[in-house]
Amino acid sequence: MNIRLSDLGQVYLVCGKTDMRQGIDSLAYLVKSQFNLDLFSGQVFLFCGGRKDRFKALYWDGQGFWLLYKRFENGKLTWPNDEHEVEALTSEQVDWLMKGFSISPKIKPTNSRDFY
């Protein structure tokens, strides 16, 4: 089953390491107190722990909160480290993240001499 988080609303990535033992109330408090974002506006908030092989998604559907949890069996996520930031993701970045790819892929510059 493939869940498209971007279909639910704007997806925000909460940068830095989050204690993955936290539940709905603690994560909601973090979003409101640290970033002053509206939890009830149909937005999705993503959190990642220190192991970077799993993340949680918090979403308000109008009647209650959903807490989704995804763990990758192989590999680790590339997650921004600045704990004082939240990044709004494009739907393309959300799709990359759900597949285990970096949300900001970088192309390593090559030296033109490498081709000869």
Side-chain angles (χ1 to χ4, degrees), residues 4-109:
R4 290 188 45 91
L5 293 177
S6 55
D7 288 348
L8 300 175
Q10 176 63 57
V11 177
Y12 287 96
L13 185 143
V14 177
C15 301
K17 182 172 68 172
T18 301
D19 183 347
M20 294 303 278
R21 296 173 294 181
Q22 294 186 63
I24 291 171
D25 295 333
S26 298
L27 295 173
Y29 178 77
L30 175 71
V31 169
K32 181 65 180 160
S33 66
Q34 193 165 357
F35 304 108
N36 201 28
L37 294 170
D38 185 4
L39 291 159
F40 305 102
S41 61
Q43 299 168 338
V44 180
F45 300 95
L46 304 179
F47 308 87
C48 184
R51 295 173 67 180
K52 295 186 179 181
D53 66 344
R54 61 197 71 193
F55 67 90
K56 287 184 177 181
L58 181 66
Y59 172 70
W60 171 260
D61 71 359
Q63 297 176 334
F65 280 105
W66 285 80
L67 185 62
L68 303 168
Y69 185 86
K70 180 163 182 161
R71 182 184 71 199
F72 290 95
E73 293 301 317
N74 295 308
K76 297 203 180 276
L77 295 162
T78 302
W79 203 269
N81 291 324
D82 189 348
E83 295 183 7
H84 304 290
E85 286 189 17
V86 171
E87 286 188 26
L89 302 181
T90 65
S91 59
E92 186 176 43
Q93 287 175 311
V94 175
D95 289 342
W96 292 340
L97 181 69
M98 294 301 288
K99 293 173 183 169
F101 298 119
S102 172
I103 59 168
S104 54
K106 295 178 178 75
I107 297 173
K108 183 179 177 183

